[in-house]
Structures are given as structure tokens and as C-alpha cells.
Amino acid sequence: NEPFKVCTSPQVLNNLAIGDQTFRLRATDFAGNVSVVRSVGWTINAAAAPTFEISQKPDAFVNVDRAQFYFNGSTITKYECKVDSGNFSECSSSFSHVTTEGAHKLEVRGQNSQGVWSDTKIIEWFFDNTKPSKPVLTHSILPKSKDEHPQIAFLSQDAGSGLKKYECQVNGAPYKDCTSPMILSDLRQGPNSFNVRAVDRANNNSEDALIDWTLDSQAPTTPMIRINQMPPYYEFPTSFSVESMV
């Protein structure tokens, strides 16, 4: 509904709004005569934003510095990526980035052949390559002990991604998840060992904490009395010795 204004042919129309459109045209000669108005109408529909999927991305917590991403979008002709506080720049559907330890964020968007951008997708992850501290053990186990169910407490610290779990090993058996304090059972008579390590959320293992001891919970054998001299009339012996197998 704008007023007529001078134009030339061909005419390129820009910045049209979404919805119904009308283009009207008339010709004027040098004598001021005006032709019949011709018009054409059409409708501009809102273009649907293209979509894409992220088929590969880092886990929430990782212990490697290179993050690898793959994007899949059948109608996408161009991707743009932005890492942390940087700026958007064109990237490929196979994108990788080397980071320092800490929290990171990737923003990615795609554009189709009509110039329409997709919604921006955000991926966040945490790179941690530092081991947790060696666990500190608290217990009352003596080098030689008769306790068949000793209790061991352990504590580790992790300033990066945070602790996820502890893993314990008794007498060389496979490591198993465990919690502190742990009460041991089914120990063998003789040498025993206990190992524990901490695991953070990026799957870094701490140095093992270890304790060795000997279990002896078996009582000595019943003593045997050997009479060295038996006086007449069964009087109390003048001397004897006691032997026991320990």
C-alpha cells in the first residue's frame, strides 16, 4: 500500500515481511498520460529453521585435552562454531578442539541454502587430567593381629572434576567399588594386604594406599604336662615342665 514511486526494470525487492505481498506497476509518458495499473500478488511463508544432530561429543568429564565433535544435518550447507568466550566462525561437520584443564563450552549453529539459521546448540564438558590425592588410611590394625574383621577408613581429595568413587583390593583380588569405612571379612590366616585408590569423575586414578599385616586368630594348642619325677605315694611332683605348640 505504499505510494507509487519511480522505478526501473528489472526491479529487485528486498526486506519483504512475512505474509501477503502485492506489487503494482504503471507507466507514464512524457505528456503525463498514465497507463492501467498492473498488479501481482503472492505470499511469503516463514521459512522453517533447519535442524541438525550432534552424533559425537565429549562426555561431561574427560581426561584428554582434545574434544571431537560430529554434526549431521541433511539441509545444512554451513556450520559456525564458537568455543568458550570466542566468536562464531565457520567450521566443518567434523570439528575438534584442544583445551586446557577446566570447564568448556561449544556453541554450534547451521545454515541452509536459503540463508536460514538453525537454533544454536550448546555442549559443555570438563577436562581434568590431574589425579586425586593418595587416600589417607585410618585403622587400628597391628603388624600381627587377631582381628578377623578389621575396619579401615580412607579419604582422598580432588580439586578438579571431583571424586566419583573408591576402588578396593584385598589380597590381590580384582579391584571392586567400595565405600569408607570398609569392614574386611574372609581374611586368611597369615599375610594379608589391602589396597585402595580414588577415582574422579574424569576417570583419573589416584596412587594406591596400601597396608600389609599378618592375621593370627588361632589359639595355641592345649599345653601338655610332662612329669619329670614321681615321688612315692603320689606326692606333688618336685619338678615338671609345660610344653605347648604355638
Side-chain angles (χ1 to χ4, degrees):
N1 296 321
E2 294 181 356
F4 282 98
K5 55 186 176 182
V6 177
C7 59
T8 58
S9 179
Q11 183 74 17
V12 178
L13 306 180
N14 296 310
N15 301 320
L16 297 178
I18 295 173
D20 294 335
Q21 313 290 327
T22 303
F23 178 78
R24 296 182 297 162
L25 175 68
R26 68 186 182 187
T28 304
D29 61 19
F30 287 103
N33 298 303
V34 179
S35 71
V36 175
V37 175
R38 298 284 188 180
S39 66
V40 59
W42 70 98
T43 300
I44 298 178
N45 296 318
T51 60
F52 66 94
E53 299 296 328
I54 300 176
S55 58
Q56 180 175 329
K57 62 182 179 179
D59 293 332
F61 300 95
V62 298
N63 57 17
V64 292
D65 60 356
R66 180 175 294 276
Q68 183 70 52
F69 305 84
Y70 287 102
F71 316 129
N72 295 311
S74 59
T75 61
I76 301 295
T77 57
K78 181 176 75 172
Y79 292 100
E80 286 189 346
C81 297
K82 174 184 175 182
V83 179
D84 297 334
S85 59
N87 297 318
F88 275 104
S89 61
E90 188 169 350
C91 58
S92 68
S93 60
S94 174
F95 176 75
S96 65
H97 185 74
V98 176
T99 61
T100 57
E101 287 196 82
H104 297 281
K105 178 174 69 174
L106 172 72
E107 299 177 59
V108 58
R109 62 191 181 189
Q111 187 184 58
N112 63 16
S113 59
Q114 297 175 319
V116 180
W117 288 99
S118 70
D119 293 335
T120 299
K121 295 191 176 185
I122 298 176
I123 305 99
E124 296 180 310
W125 73 101
F126 193 98
F127 168 42
D128 176 11
N129 196 34
T130 302
K131 297 179 180 180
S133 65
K134 179 180 178 179
V136 176
L137 302 181
T138 303
H139 61 86
S140 58
I141 301 176
L142 300 175
K144 290 187 177 182
S145 172
K146 66 176 182 179
D147 188 354
E148 295 182 337
H149 302 281
Q151 178 174 288
I152 304 176
F154 34 88
L155 179 64
S156 175
Q157 303 290 336
D158 186 87
S161 57
L163 288 179
K164 179 172 70 174
K165 64 179 180 177
Y166 292 98
E167 294 179 340
C168 296
Q169 180 191 62
V170 180
N171 293 331
Y175 279 94
K176 295 182 179 180
D177 293 355
C178 55
T179 57
S180 179
M182 182 174 182
I183 299 176
L184 305 183
S185 61
D186 299 324
L187 297 175
R188 60 196 180 195
Q189 295 294 317
N192 288 272
S193 65
F194 174 81
N195 291 53
V196 60
R197 65 190 181 192
V199 184
D200 65 20
R201 290 189 286 180
N203 290 320
N204 298 301
N205 294 334
S206 73
E207 181 183 349
D208 277 29
L210 167 67
I211 177 175
D212 293 301
W213 74 100
T214 298
L215 173 63
D216 181 5
S217 61
Q218 294 178 341
T221 58
T222 303
M224 294 187 302
I225 300 176
R226 178 179 297 167
I227 306 298
N228 293 331
Q229 181 180 355
M230 178 66 70
Y233 313 114
Y234 301 99
E235 294 181 357
F236 193 81
T238 58
S239 67
F240 58 91
S241 65
V242 178
E243 296 182 359
S244 173
M245 301 298 294
V246 178

